[in-house]
Every structure is written in structure tokens, then in C-alpha cells.
Amino acid sequence: MGGETTPLNYLPILIFIGIAVVFGMASLLLGKLVRPSRPYRAKLNPYESGSPLFSDARIQFPIRYYIIAMLFVIFDIEVIFIIPWAVRFQSLGFLGLAEMLVFIAILLVGLWYAWKKGALEWD
């Protein structure tokens, strides 16, 4: 390190962070000062795809929707793990196969649990 103390090594990083913060704040302030601000009633209304609001957006959804959404995310993660495993299948050997079988078994237990709780209906 050449006799330098550790805090001096971080000085360029701190300077960079300081410049970034100052630039961001200055940009926001300059934009607020320069842009026109003429709010009117239609401009202040919430915008949702051009459709007028007809009811409150905070309604209760059945828990089933959340469980299906979680299952969707879980099976997306499963695909993220299975594709690289399938590409390297021959080099992983029996241990790789055993690990993937355990992984799929855990997911199947979760799927079975969701089905038994009534969150999934395959009829």
C-alpha cells in the first residue's frame, strides 16, 4: 500500500459520491425552478391508462390470488435453476441429479400443500 493509510484510499470514492449527490440535488432544484407549474383539476387527478376512476383501488382480494402469484414466482425460480443444471447435467454426475431431485421434491411438497389448502383447483 506504500505507507498510505486506509481512509485515504477511500477518498476518491467519497468525492465521487459527493459529486453525484450534489449533481442530483442541483438537477432537481434547477428543474423545479425552470419548469412551468400550472396545475389544474384534470392534471391533478390520478392517471390510470386514460380510464376514469370508478371505484376505490383498495379492495380485498381472496388469498388464493396471492398463493397463485407466489407459486408463479417459485416455478420461475425453478426454471432458473433447472436450465443451467440441464446444460451441465453430464459433468455434474449422480450428486447433481440427487440435488435436483431433492429440489424438485421440495417444490412438489409446496405444490401439494397449496392444492390441499384449496388454493389450487385443477377440476
Side-chain angles (χ1 to χ4, degrees):
M1 292 251 186
E4 293 181 26
T5 60
T6 304
L8 287 178
N9 293 338
Y10 291 108
L11 190 60
I13 296 171
L14 293 175
I15 291 172
F16 180 75
I17 290 172
I19 290 172
V21 168
V22 169
F23 179 75
M25 298 292 275
S27 298
L28 290 173
L29 181 63
L30 184 65
K32 186 175 176 93
L33 295 175
V34 173
R35 72 175 174 246
S37 178
R38 293 183 285 277
Y40 52 92
R41 185 175 177 164
K43 199 178 208 183
L44 295 176
N45 283 338
Y47 179 74
E48 181 64 33
S49 304
S51 303
L53 298 176
F54 55 87
S55 68
D56 190 17
R58 293 171 286 188
I59 59 174
Q60 291 184 350
F61 287 98
I63 195 70
R64 178 178 173 193
Y65 294 122
Y66 298 108
I67 293 175
I68 291 173
M70 285 189 293
L71 287 172
F72 176 76
V73 171
I74 288 170
F75 284 106
D76 276 355
I77 292 170
E78 177 186 11
V79 169
I80 290 171
F81 284 123
I82 286 180
I83 289 175
W85 171 81
V87 170
R88 302 290 299 173
F89 175 70
Q90 289 181 343
S91 65
L92 293 175
F94 180 73
L95 183 62
L97 177 64
E99 289 175 352
M100 188 53 66
L101 289 176
V102 168
F103 177 68
I104 291 173
I106 291 171
L107 289 174
L108 287 175
V109 167
L111 185 64
W112 174 79
Y113 178 76
W115 180 65
K116 282 296 185 185
K117 287 294 183 180
L120 299 175
E121 294 176 7
W122 292 323
D123 299 328

